[in-house]
Amino acid sequence: MEGIKDMPTHRAATPRRLLMCPPRHFDVRYSINPWMEPEKPTDTALALLQWEQLSGLFQELGHAVEVIDPLPGVPDMVFAANGATVVDGKVLGARFRHVQRTAEGPAYLQWFIQQGYREVLWPEYVNEGEGDYLTVGRRILAGTGFRTDPRSHAEAQEFFGLPVTGLTLVNPRHYHLDTALAVLSDTEIMYYPAAFSPGSQAVLREMFPDAILASHEDAALFGLNAFSDGLNVLLPQAAQGLQKQLLARGFNPIGVDLTELLKAGGSVKCCTLELRA
């Protein structure tokens, strides 16, 4: 495949600092995305076990995991990626679109303030943290279409002082950017083209001509809700096609079982907020 010859010949994992929230109050009590079916039973103990396995795996790989205590009655707080965006030690808080999640934004922002973060911004416009803001090198890809207000993109660019590229999502099952696109390194991504508008597809082709493209099957399995440290890529274990493509590019894919949390529309990346110094 043209362009593959230019990929890195040696990959190395970079230790990261991560924030996670245990799903001690996990449940699906309402539906704010197509994955959520309140009439189906959930198993909080199983969700917690799967989350603990993910947290343990991060630590085995050399990453530092910090934990925020979950609030009772806020079952989606486990999805820490939505709680904020952190770049260069600056914290852009999250303002949620749905009333069921509005308590999460202040809770996460308070955690950062208590941890001594000084450059903290409560946003004017709706943004759902790293659910829709993904950092690639020194650029931020910003999703919109279902949750994050496009006006927040300019707010993020001004706050972080980094270029922000807006991308429009068009498939309700990919309501956040991190369900349709994953960052693999400072220059590489994988994504599902059909989740994006034609114009956004063209932008992604221009910016990342050698990106890994997910099949409909792997995208439907939430395979793109993944975390990469530059070498190891943690993703849903059912996404076998993506795992094969990642191996071919020199990555080390690691399948993870978070099927209980998927009942609320979340997986590896959703559970993981990166604390970029």
Side-chain angles (χ1 to χ4, degrees):
M1 186 179 297
E2 186 177 355
I4 300 302
K5 60 181 180 296
D6 298 323
M7 75 176 187
T9 55
H10 174 73
R11 298 193 184 277
T14 302
R16 311 293 174 92
R17 287 181 62 231
L18 310 172
L19 178 61
M20 301 182 71
C21 181
R24 288 199 290 267
H25 308 294
F26 179 73
D27 198 358
V28 178
R29 306 173 188 171
Y30 47 79
S31 181
I32 58 173
N33 69 57
W35 300 84
M36 303 179 84
E37 300 180 64
E39 66 277 9
K40 292 186 176 180
T42 54
D43 187 333
T44 304
L46 178 57
L48 185 58
L49 175 62
Q50 292 178 347
W51 179 91
E52 288 173 343
Q53 291 172 341
L54 175 63
S55 175
L57 181 55
F58 280 137
Q59 293 173 73
E60 288 174 18
L61 293 171
H63 305 302
V65 175
E66 300 188 36
V67 175
I68 180 174
D69 290 329
L71 297 177
V74 189
D76 285 343
M77 196 168 167
V78 59
F79 301 129
N82 301 150
T85 305
V86 185
V87 181
D88 296 336
K90 298 179 177 181
V91 181
L92 176 61
R95 182 187 288 268
F96 287 82
R97 181 165 297 281
H98 293 98
V99 66
Q100 293 92 335
R101 299 195 67 181
T102 52
E104 296 178 45
Y108 273 95
L109 203 66
Q110 185 62 31
W111 184 89
F112 283 103
I113 292 170
Q114 291 173 347
Q115 297 301 310
Y117 285 80
R118 296 184 179 277
E119 292 189 78
V120 175
L121 178 66
W122 177 248
E124 179 178 358
Y125 301 107
V126 168
N127 86 74
E128 299 204 350
E130 279 198 338
D132 275 325
Y133 286 137
L134 297 178
T135 302
V136 189
R138 298 299 293 169
R139 174 178 293 276
I140 297 173
L141 302 179
T144 189
F146 295 99
R147 299 292 184 85
T148 294
D149 189 319
R151 292 173 295 180
S152 75
H153 296 177
E155 187 175 27
Q157 180 167 282
E158 189 65 24
F159 179 61
F160 291 121
L162 295 176
V164 173
T165 299
L167 299 168
T168 301
L169 297 160
V170 296
N171 185 327
R173 293 189 74 81
H174 301 284
Y175 52 90
H176 276 151
L177 184 61
D178 71 356
T179 72
L181 185 152
V183 177
L184 300 174
S185 73
D186 285 348
T187 59
E188 300 165 284
I189 67 168
M190 58 182 182
Y191 70 100
Y192 177 48
F196 297 91
S197 68
S200 293
Q201 290 182 41
V203 168
L204 288 169
R205 285 195 300 270
E206 179 70 23
M207 293 179 66
F208 304 100
D210 297 325
I212 292 176
L213 303 182
S215 67
H216 172 76
E217 291 75 17
D218 280 344
L221 293 167
F222 239 59
L224 290 161
N225 196 246
F227 171 88
S228 173
D229 61 17
L231 170 63
N232 304 294
V233 182
L234 283 63
L235 72 166
Q237 62 185 20
Q240 294 293 314
L242 279 175
Q243 292 186 45
K244 291 176 182 177
Q245 291 193 75
L246 288 163
L247 274 172
R249 298 288 184 99
F251 291 98
N252 177 39
I254 301 173
V256 180
D257 181 9
L258 290 174
T259 47
E260 196 62 25
L261 292 173
L262 185 56
K263 293 178 180 178
S267 191
V268 177
K269 182 65 188 77
C270 288
C271 293
T272 311
L273 175 60
E274 185 168 347
L275 307 177
R276 299 177 184 84

